[in-house]
């Protein structure tokens, strides 16, 4: 018969027993007044930017209410009286919008241009950033960056004028074809190639500017990884595939999500300037549709309905893309954790 084991003091835990979970100490919440007095310099610095964002981005959201009205800006002596005296028609503007063939033409053109530019424009800043990052001469890198950044600061009027001088009916290309005895080709008035034309204009104007974020991401990659991979015999393409692209992946995913959220906004000035040259069927996008069928005609409720539809679709796209990014293990634009 075994003797009873005497227990003196608290029972000791077995060595293989899991440690009890420890709870992180709760941080003491700093009062709002203390935080305001402590960070007033930072708050004063961001106040102008916050004011601009509030006035030009958030307050106009309230104007979407006229999408549910037969809004008439001439009712009353001020905008508030015009709003209160306009009749509520519910989803009547949306019904008219969805029954309008011109709206669906603009919608299809916008989606087609967005998809085309995602394939043929979005990857180009990444490629250019990798090429610039691999240049050994810092002086040559700075010169190339200056040259490719410069067109971003040109207005769309100047960009379109430049392309007309190069590709228009009296431009350099047409004149060269005439001198060679060939029939000149006016690219600027051809609706079949308009999607390629506007993408080429966007590439020439903004591809250099788009490399800034990717160059910053490349500079954050640890150079020791490249040296270790080279010492192990990895070539240039292997280092690109296993080090450079994984380092750029979070930035690529973030910018792709933001681009999808802005999928229905492909531009306004660029298409407005060239709409008459190629025709409405090829060049009408949602932004120019709102201008021609709402602002130019005074039917503001109709345009507000189109704008609200565009905003809702953009919100759905950005939430869906962010969800897919979480499923792929990326952080996306926000995370609950």
């Amino acid at each position: 018969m075994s003797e009873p084991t005497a227990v003196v003091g608290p029972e000791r835990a077995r060595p293989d027993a899991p440690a009890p979970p420890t709870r992180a100490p709760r941080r003491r919440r700093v009062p709002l007044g203390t935080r305001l007095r402590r960070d007033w310099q930072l708050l004063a610095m961001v106040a102008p930017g916050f004011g601009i964002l509030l006035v030009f981005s958030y307050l106009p959201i309230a104007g979407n209410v006229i999408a549910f009205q037969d809004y008439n800006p001439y009712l009353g002596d001020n905008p508030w009286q015009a709003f209160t005296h306009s009749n509520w028609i519910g989803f009547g503007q949306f019904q008219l919008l969805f029954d309008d063939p011109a709206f669906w033409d603009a919608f299809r053109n916008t989606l087609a241009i967005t998809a085309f530019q995602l394939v043929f424009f979005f990857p180009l800043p990444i490629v250019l950033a990798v090429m610039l990052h691999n240049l050994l001469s810092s002086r040559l890198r700075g010169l190339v960056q200056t040259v490719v950044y410069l067109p971003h600061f040109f207005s769309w009027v100047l960009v379109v004028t430049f392309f007309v001088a190069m590709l228009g009916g009296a431009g350099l290309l047409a004149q060269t074809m005439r001198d060679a005895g060939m029939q000149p080709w006016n690219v600027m008035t051809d609706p079949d190639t308009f999607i390629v034309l506007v993408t080429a204009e966007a590439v020439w104007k903004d591809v250099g500017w788009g490399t800034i974020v990717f160059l910053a991401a490349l500079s954050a990659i640890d150079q020791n990884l490249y040296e270790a991979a080279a010492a192990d015999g990895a070539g240039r393409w292997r280092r690109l595939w296993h080090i450079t692209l994984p380092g750029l992946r979070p930035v690529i995913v973030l910018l792709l999500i933001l681009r999808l959220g802005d999928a229905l906004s492909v531009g306004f000035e660029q298409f407005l300037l060239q709409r008459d040259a190629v025709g409405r069927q090829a060049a009408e996008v949602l932004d120019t549709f709102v201008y021609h069928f709402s602002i130019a005609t005074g039917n503001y409720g109709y345009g507000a309905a189109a704008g609200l539809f565009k905003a809702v679709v953009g919100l759905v796209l950005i939430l869906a893309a962010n969800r897919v990014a979480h499923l792929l293990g990326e952080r996306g634009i926000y995370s609950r954790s």
Side-chain angles (χ1 to χ4, degrees):
M1 184 173 182
S2 60
E3 297 179 359
T5 304
V7 178
V8 180
E11 184 180 358
R12 293 184 178 180
R14 292 181 300 171
D16 57 344
T22 58
R23 180 175 298 178
R26 298 182 61 181
R27 298 180 59 183
R28 183 181 177 185
R29 189 174 184 84
V30 181
L32 177 61
T34 304
R35 283 182 288 168
L36 291 177
R37 288 191 299 270
R38 181 190 62 190
D39 302 328
W40 70 268
Q41 296 96 336
L42 297 176
L43 295 174
M45 183 178 65
V46 302
F50 176 76
I52 293 174
L53 188 66
L54 178 67
V55 172
F56 293 100
S57 296
Y58 284 98
L59 289 182
I61 293 178
N64 286 320
V65 123
I66 67 174
F68 305 95
Q69 288 184 306
D70 185 15
Y71 181 73
N72 186 348
Y74 303 106
L75 292 177
D77 299 328
N78 53 63
W80 176 253
Q81 291 184 0
F83 165 73
T84 56
H85 287 83
S86 297
N87 296 325
W88 291 88
I89 59 175
F91 291 94
Q93 299 285 12
F94 292 93
Q95 183 176 358
L96 294 175
L97 186 71
F98 296 151
D99 291 339
D100 191 349
F103 168 75
W104 292 112
D105 289 340
F107 183 73
R108 283 190 293 268
N109 288 341
T110 305
L111 289 182
I113 293 171
T114 296
F116 192 86
Q117 292 187 354
L118 278 177
V119 175
F120 295 101
F121 179 24
F122 184 80
L124 293 183
I126 305 173
V127 176
L128 182 58
V130 173
M131 293 174 61
L132 290 174
H133 184 70
N134 290 330
L135 286 177
L136 298 179
S137 173
S138 58
R139 182 174 298 181
L140 179 59
R141 186 188 304 124
L143 175 63
V144 175
Q145 286 178 329
T146 302
V147 172
V148 296
Y149 289 173
L150 188 60
H152 172 77
F153 301 98
F154 297 162
S155 67
W156 276 114
V157 175
L158 185 58
V159 172
V160 173
T161 302
F162 173 80
F163 272 80
V164 168
M166 297 296 294
L167 305 177
L172 181 61
L173 176 63
Q175 188 61 40
T176 303
M177 294 178 69
R178 289 191 188 94
D179 295 340
M182 302 170 60
Q183 183 67 25
W185 178 30
N186 188 354
V187 181
M188 303 301 296
T189 59
D190 190 349
D192 296 330
T193 59
F194 179 72
I195 189 172
V196 180
L197 173 65
V198 294
T199 303
E201 293 170 350
V203 167
W204 184 77
K205 186 177 188 295
D206 288 326
V207 70
W209 188 256
T211 62
I212 294 177
V213 177
F214 297 109
L215 285 173
L218 286 171
S219 65
I221 299 176
D222 189 0
Q223 296 301 313
N224 294 326
L225 297 176
Y226 291 102
E227 297 175 2
D232 290 339
R236 178 174 299 179
W237 292 108
R238 279 190 170 273
R239 295 197 297 269
L240 173 67
W241 184 258
H242 294 287
I243 299 176
T244 304
L245 292 182
L248 288 176
R249 186 172 62 185
V251 178
I252 294 174
V253 171
L254 175 62
L255 294 181
L256 183 60
I257 292 174
L258 295 177
R259 182 65 188 92
L260 288 177
D262 206 27
L264 299 185
S265 298
V266 294
F268 175 71
E269 297 93 342
Q270 180 186 13
F271 295 90
L272 182 67
L273 292 169
Q274 302 176 90
R275 180 177 180 268
D276 294 337
V278 297
R280 182 185 64 82
Q281 294 295 330
E284 190 80 282
V285 294
L286 287 179
D287 290 333
T288 58
F289 172 84
V290 171
Y291 174 76
H292 285 103
F293 290 85
S294 171
I295 298 177
T297 61
N299 192 0
Y300 298 105
Y302 190 72
L308 186 57
F309 171 79
K310 187 177 76 169
V312 170
V313 172
L315 177 62
V316 171
L317 287 176
I318 203 169
L319 292 177
N322 192 70
R323 178 61 178 170
V324 173
H326 289 170
L327 295 177
L328 296 177
E330 297 295 336
R331 183 174 179 84
I333 57 173
Y334 69 89
S335 178
R336 294 181 180 178
S337 59

